[in-house]
Amino acid sequence: MSIWNSLSLSTRYSELPPLLFTHVPPQPLNNVHWIMWNEKLAKRFNLPLDPAADTELLSGFSGEVVPSQFSPLAMKYAGHQFGSYNPDLGDGRGLLLAEIKDKAGASFDIHLKGAGRTPYSRSGDGRAVLRSTIREYLCSEAMFGLGIPTTRALGMMGSDTPVYREGYETGALLLRVAETHVRFGHFEHLFYSNLLGEHKLLADKVIEWHFPDCLDNDNPYAAMFNEIVDRTAKMIAHWQAVGFAHGVMNTDNMSIIGQTFDYGPFGFLDDYEPGYICNHSDYQGRYAFNQQPRIGLWNLSALAHALSPLIDKVDLDQALEQYEVQLHGYFSQLMRQKLGLITKQDGDSRLFESMFELLSQNSVDYTRFLRELSNVDTHNEKAIIDLFIDRDTAKLWVSLYVTRCEKEHETMASRCKKMREVNPKYILRNYLAQQAIDKAQEGDYSELEALSLLLRSPFDEHIEFEHYANLPPSWGKKMEISCSS
């Protein structure tokens, strides 16, 4: 029996109006082969743990053969890119192959990135290269390991097909899964095209598929938008708390269910730099790290305008007014967990403010600082103070922090144990990703495999991988990353 018959597959998105997509067959690569396969994720969908065990997996997921259970399509959407509306957007190199249910009955998109040209490729070739595919594979799994809502990487394939970017590279394919690939830009496309019937139908399906609880509300559309605002605020609060910069927060890169996706020129903070810009094409710093909360609201406002045929302005405004409150609440909760300060005391706000000021003024590594703070039960305070140039001010802050911790109702050992569960020892630093890329381009996937394992459990000690927690070398800091793939 074909493996495809044994899976719970559907093609529900292709039942929507054709104005939202175009059926496109994948364009196969030369000598395609597996590079990575996410065994734990595969198990969730009743897929083989070893992709080599069934040749149908490679041929079907790479596009060499299109199983009858698939209905490959490229989605059509629009979006605001760096603040300017662009109607000519869509899946330019990715295809939704089908939807698959996991063991719990939840439905997920199976999406193939790098599958060739589509009607929305514009001047692009529809391909993805090994370099960018590795970065997205690693980062989506790193975000999952950190507990941040994200798409997931199911597998990665390489090939001999040449692809030109800054120079010649080899084409690759990313197989990713997500609860949905519907973006803010889908609603913008239908709104600005005055396709209001299709606009309402899409909203109805989004509620049915992703926000079923909203159906019990007197105004399901307003309830849906409230949920989108809340999930977006929660996602960005997670980004800020862990030190993640997305790099390209265009509305076509914003998921309507608040999941992080479309990983391009992302970056995790090394030195704490509020204005960190990870995308070398972001000349104005629109998507700098400290601008992400503001841009989240800007993007939600653009979505609100696109949803105005369905939702009264007063309801849209009320939802948007809650965004900053929700984001601040989520961020405060996350940071309190990171510092082990669960109860609220007078002076806490100033303690947090002075911490961020001190980190910024001394260019202290954000992840290392928080991890060392989590280890004060086993290491002395010197390990923290040594991270700072201004040791006297650092020593004063640590003293104030330790005094504040004494007001918590648990032992230092218990508090620090909980802190280590939310402050990662390992993050996907750009230089680590680059080292994995360099080796993979030579056919050595050992670094890629090691990082994949490590980043799925970044809070554990992993003594055998201790060197991955080292501070980056000077060449590895502030690496310029482009949008090109």
Side-chain angles (χ1 to χ4, degrees):
M1 182 177 72
S2 168
I3 189 172
W4 310 115
N5 291 327
S6 68
L7 303 173
S8 182
L9 295 168
S10 65
T11 55
R12 64 183 184 181
Y13 192 89
S14 64
E15 298 168 8
L16 292 172
L19 291 166
L20 284 165
F21 63 87
T22 301
H23 282 293
V24 183
Q27 298 164 27
L29 297 169
N30 300 327
N31 190 28
V32 68
H33 53 274
W34 288 111
I35 291 177
M36 295 293 291
W37 181 250
N38 192 332
E39 293 181 11
K40 287 189 175 181
L41 190 55
K43 185 178 181 181
R44 179 174 176 178
F45 296 107
N46 292 309
L47 287 161
L49 300 185
D50 180 5
D54 195 316
T55 57
E56 280 190 304
L57 273 182
L58 182 61
S59 61
F61 281 146
S62 69
E64 288 184 339
V65 176
V66 179
S68 60
Q69 294 85 351
F70 288 7
S71 182
L73 59 87
M75 291 183 173
K76 168 61 186 168
Y77 43 84
H80 281 84
Q81 298 188 309
F82 288 88
S84 298
Y85 183 68
N86 187 345
D88 299 320
L89 300 177
D91 289 338
R93 61 172 178 267
L95 297 176
L96 173 61
L97 300 179
E99 290 93 36
I100 186 171
K101 287 187 177 179
D102 66 6
K103 291 180 178 180
S107 188
F108 288 77
D109 291 351
I110 305 176
H111 188 271
L112 184 64
K113 193 169 183 178
R117 285 185 58 82
T118 78
Y120 318 118
S121 298
R122 293 178 289 172
S123 60
D125 58 17
R127 295 303 187 190
V129 295
L130 184 61
R131 165 175 49 91
S132 61
T133 305
I134 287 174
R135 282 177 54 80
E136 176 156 356
Y137 186 98
L138 288 175
C139 196
S140 59
E141 291 309 287
M143 297 290 269
F144 174 76
L146 291 166
I148 300 174
T150 180
T151 56
R152 298 290 305 280
L154 177 60
M156 186 195 322
M157 293 160 271
S159 78
D160 293 338
T161 300
V163 177
Y164 186 80
R165 291 297 182 262
E166 284 83 1
Y168 279 103
E169 303 181 55
T170 54
L173 295 166
L174 179 74
L175 195 64
R176 72 181 180 191
V177 294
E179 292 169 62
T180 185
H181 279 77
V182 176
R183 310 150 186 265
F184 289 13
H186 279 82
F187 287 103
E188 290 183 292
H189 160 55
L190 297 173
F191 171 74
Y192 287 107
S193 300
N194 201 33
L195 300 168
L196 300 187
E198 291 82 357
H199 181 272
K200 182 179 183 300
L201 176 60
L202 178 62
D204 290 340
K205 286 298 182 182
V206 165
I207 292 173
E208 175 189 341
W209 293 340
H210 308 297
F211 303 106
D213 291 347
C214 293
L215 291 170
D216 298 328
N217 194 282
D218 291 339
N219 188 335
Y221 303 117
M224 176 190 71
F225 185 63
N226 273 294
E227 187 69 21
I228 293 171
V229 171
D230 182 70
R231 293 193 189 190
T232 302
K234 188 173 187 178
M235 175 186 71
I236 295 176
H238 271 287
W239 291 1
Q240 301 306 115
V242 81
F244 173 77
H246 183 278
V248 197
M249 287 178 66
N250 297 330
T251 57
D252 56 293
N253 291 335
M254 297 292 291
S255 162
I256 49 91
I257 60 170
Q259 288 187 339
T260 316
F261 75 162
D262 284 350
Y263 294 96
F266 65 82
F268 286 87
L269 292 180
D270 293 317
D271 297 342
Y272 185 76
E273 180 184 348
Y276 171 59
I277 302 170
C278 59
N279 180 355
H280 81 167
S281 300
D282 187 6
Y283 306 113
Q284 304 300 319
R286 178 181 176 85
Y287 299 140
F289 173 71
N290 61 358
Q291 295 300 309
Q292 291 181 143
R294 180 183 67 82
I295 292 298
L297 180 58
W298 195 99
N299 288 343
L300 286 165
S301 298
L303 176 62
H305 186 58
L307 290 174
S308 59
L310 299 173
I311 307 171
D312 289 341
K313 185 177 185 300
V314 64
D315 292 327
L316 292 169
D317 289 344
Q318 285 177 354
L320 291 173
E321 286 169 3
Q322 289 302 305
Y323 168 79
E324 290 186 352
V325 175
Q326 291 163 336
L327 188 146
H328 178 77
Y330 286 128
F331 180 72
S332 177
Q333 180 183 32
L334 290 168
M335 292 308 302
R336 284 188 169 277
Q337 291 172 352
K338 283 178 167 294
L339 268 68
L341 305 179
I342 306 306
T343 63
K344 293 185 179 181
Q345 304 283 341
D346 291 341
D348 282 356
S349 295
R350 182 54 197 155
L351 186 70
F352 276 91
E353 290 170 3
S354 60
M355 178 192 75
F356 286 117
E357 290 170 2
L358 198 57
L359 291 175
S360 178
Q361 291 166 0
N362 287 261
S363 298
V364 173
D365 188 271
Y366 182 63
T367 300
R368 173 64 67 83
F369 168 77
L370 289 171
R371 186 69 179 192
E372 291 293 354
L373 208 62
S374 308
N375 289 328
V376 292
D377 60 331
T378 57
H379 299 71
N380 61 40
E381 298 167 8
K382 184 176 182 296
I384 302 170
I385 297 167
D386 284 348
L387 297 172
F388 293 82
I389 299 170
D390 184 354
R391 294 172 56 82
D392 290 339
T393 306
K395 188 174 182 178
L396 175 60
W397 185 90
V398 171
S399 176
L400 292 171
Y401 169 73
V402 171
T403 300
R404 168 62 184 85
C405 287
E406 292 172 354
K407 298 179 181 179
E408 293 296 312
H409 306 301
E410 61 181 331
T411 65
M412 178 186 290
S414 174
R415 185 182 69 253
C416 288
K417 181 177 181 293
K418 292 177 182 178
M419 289 171 65
R420 285 191 289 270
E421 292 171 354
V422 295
N423 287 313
K425 181 176 181 178
Y426 304 94
I427 57 169
L428 181 59
R429 299 183 187 272
N430 272 329
Y431 89 96
L432 292 175
Q434 189 58 50
Q435 288 178 336
I437 290 166
D438 291 343
K439 284 196 173 183
Q441 289 174 333
E442 298 173 356
D444 180 353
Y445 306 125
S446 58
E447 285 293 297
L448 179 54
E449 291 167 354
L451 281 174
S452 296
L453 174 67
L454 194 65
L455 293 169
R456 291 191 190 111
S457 52
F459 307 104
D460 296 344
E461 287 296 330
H462 295 290
I463 300 301
E464 69 276 25
F465 293 117
E466 193 83 39
H467 59 286
Y468 288 102
N470 291 342
L471 297 181
S474 57
W475 64 264
K477 287 187 178 183
K478 301 181 182 180
M479 295 177 64
E480 289 193 348
I481 307 297
S482 71
C483 290
S484 72
S485 63

